Amino acid sequence: MKNILVIGATGQIGSELTMELRSRYGNHHVVAGYIKGAEPQGVLKESGPSAIADVTDADAVAKVVRDYQIDTIYNLAALLSVVAERNPRLAWKIGVDGLWNVLEVAREYHCAVFTPSSIGSFGLSTPHVMTPQDTIQRPSTIYGVSKVTTELLSDYYYMKYGVDTRSVRYPGIISYVTPPGGGTTDYAVDIYYYAVRGEKFVCPIKQGTLMDMIYMPDALHASIMLMEADPAKLVHRNAFNLASMSFAPETIYASIKKHMPQFEMEYRVDPLKQHIADSWPDCMDDSCARQEWGWQPKYDLEAMTTDMLEKLRLKFNN
Ligand code: AKB
């Protein structure tokens, strides 16, 4: 990777991935791609180049790729599961038609492409415990349908045109920097904000609902590691199960309570979020990622809670 374009650079993952890539490859080698109305701010804007890169406009993406001699694209443009369910057409336009545009540009300009998939690519008929790498993928959400399609389309471009496509199935990502917007796993981020602000948390997910989660530093590390991996060792490409920790609401609550005994939580289940959560794995088997490119997470729930609380206290000055 010499010159990298991050599409969706001002989003939850993109804002941190862009900065991490800049620290590794040099500020001027990483372009923050954004859409109108979501311009980079602060250090993201000042530390390196940025350009409009809207996946629904193939010419605009091609121009950035040409202007900056891009050889690797991180395509993070997507709507998360809950918002996608409210606007399925837009979710498809960004997630699938957008990827098609990116892959066409990548084919023409010989770029490698990373397009994340998700635990959302699985459905009720998928084995929920230690979900295998290769298994049933019949999701019931448009988010899942588009994620399965992006996995297949990425494989297709690799097989037919030799485009170097790679991907992981992200669990719910937890971070203290940029809040997520409209995901089913967002509760596991929100809960820390409520705890640090000293407020009671109302959990939209039922007790006992297990989902895979990952702390942002591990998610970033995995995404970069995979793109740097030796292609000769990759049996799979789109997309690797990526696991780190799996917990239910009562477990993350207990983890926070160890640091803040006065913290309170009650349940008020959101039917849409619960329906989506119930269709996703309890925990994935990520042994292919471990074997093929050496994936190994650093954070478990306790280490993440300690770091999240510390960083959020600094952020809110309390
Ligand atoms: C969501 O909840 O929609 C995302 C995901 C797990 O893909 N965080």
Side-chain angles (χ1 to χ4, degrees):
M1 292 194 276
K2 288 196 194 90
N3 294 313
I4 302 163
L5 168 63
V6 180
I7 296 179
T10 57
Q12 188 207 9
I13 306 168
S15 56
E16 291 191 58
L17 181 64
T18 305
M19 296 309 295
E20 182 61 31
L21 288 166
R22 282 181 178 164
S23 77
R24 294 185 190 210
Y25 296 94
N27 286 349
H28 294 285
H29 293 283
V30 184
V31 181
Y34 62 94
I35 51 167
K36 274 193 199 132
E39 287 78 10
Q41 309 288 334
V43 68
L44 187 61
K45 180 180 172 166
E46 278 134 34
S47 60
S50 49
I52 290 192
D54 183 339
V55 289
T56 62
D57 181 351
D59 292 339
V61 176
K63 182 175 178 336
V64 183
V65 166
R66 267 194 317 270
D67 287 353
Y68 292 91
Q69 295 172 18
I70 298 296
D71 56 58
T72 304
I73 302 172
Y74 282 86
N75 170 28
L76 305 176
L79 296 187
L80 290 185
S81 53
V82 177
V83 274
E85 222 40 46
R86 297 199 182 109
N87 198 341
R89 249 188 119 80
L90 185 63
W92 186 269
K93 188 174 167 197
I94 295 172
V96 179
D97 296 341
L99 173 62
W100 189 286
N101 288 337
V102 171
L103 290 170
E104 274 299 301
V105 172
R107 173 158 86 102
E108 190 175 349
Y109 294 96
H110 309 289
C111 302
V113 182
F114 175 88
T115 306
S117 183
S118 157
I119 50 174
S121 67
F122 297 114
L124 266 179
S125 53
T126 302
H128 275 223
V129 178
M130 289 303 277
T131 302
Q133 171 67 41
D134 300 309
T135 185
I136 303 162
Q137 288 181 281
R138 305 290 291 177
S140 53
T141 61
I142 190 65
Y143 181 68
V145 172
S146 63
K147 286 298 180 193
V148 175
T149 310
T150 63
E151 291 186 13
L152 295 173
L153 199 55
S154 298
D155 271 349
Y156 180 77
Y157 266 73
Y158 170 65
M159 290 181 298
K160 190 163 171 95
Y161 304 116
V163 176
D164 185 359
T165 54
R166 306 181 189 193
S167 174
V168 295
R169 295 179 182 132
Y170 281 140
I173 299 180
I174 295 163
S175 151
Y176 57 87
V177 180
T178 307
T184 305
T185 57
D186 292 7
Y187 91 87
V189 180
D190 297 340
I191 192 170
Y192 288 107
Y193 279 78
Y194 278 76
V196 169
R197 291 197 302 249
E199 294 168 17
K200 181 177 186 174
F201 180 61
V202 179
C203 184
I205 300 291
K206 202 164 68 186
Q207 187 169 348
T209 310
L210 286 163
M211 282 186 278
D212 277 299
M213 305 279 179
I214 189 168
Y215 197 32
M216 184 65 93
D218 276 335
L220 301 180
H221 183 56
S223 315
I224 297 170
M225 244 185 120
L226 174 58
M227 292 312 278
E228 284 177 342
D230 177 357
K233 299 213 171 106
L234 299 182
V235 179
H236 298 85
R237 278 182 167 265
N238 305 285
F240 285 92
N241 283 0
L242 189 70
S244 166
M245 58 185 100
S246 164
F247 54 76
E250 66 275 19
T251 317
I252 186 171
Y253 173 57
S255 166
I256 296 173
K257 241 178 133 52
K258 282 186 203 156
H259 298 257
M260 311 180 82
Q262 74 291 357
F263 179 47
E264 287 178 53
M265 178 174 96
E266 67 172 69
Y267 294 94
R268 203 176 304 146
V269 172
D270 176 313
L272 173 61
K273 289 185 181 171
Q274 188 62 44
H275 169 74
I276 297 174
D278 286 341
S279 74
W280 289 357
D282 292 355
C283 60
M284 289 185 289
D285 173 0
D286 66 353
S287 48
C288 289
R290 290 173 191 250
Q291 280 154 23
E292 292 175 40
W293 47 277
W295 161 241
Q296 181 80 56
K298 288 202 182 87
Y299 287 87
D300 60 11
L301 175 59
E302 296 312 325
M304 176 176 78
T305 295
T306 305
D307 201 57
M308 276 294 283
L309 293 176
E310 191 186 310
K311 299 290 176 17
L312 283 177
R313 279 179 179 134
L314 283 173
K315 190 168 175 170
F316 292 116
N317 242 340
N318 69 3

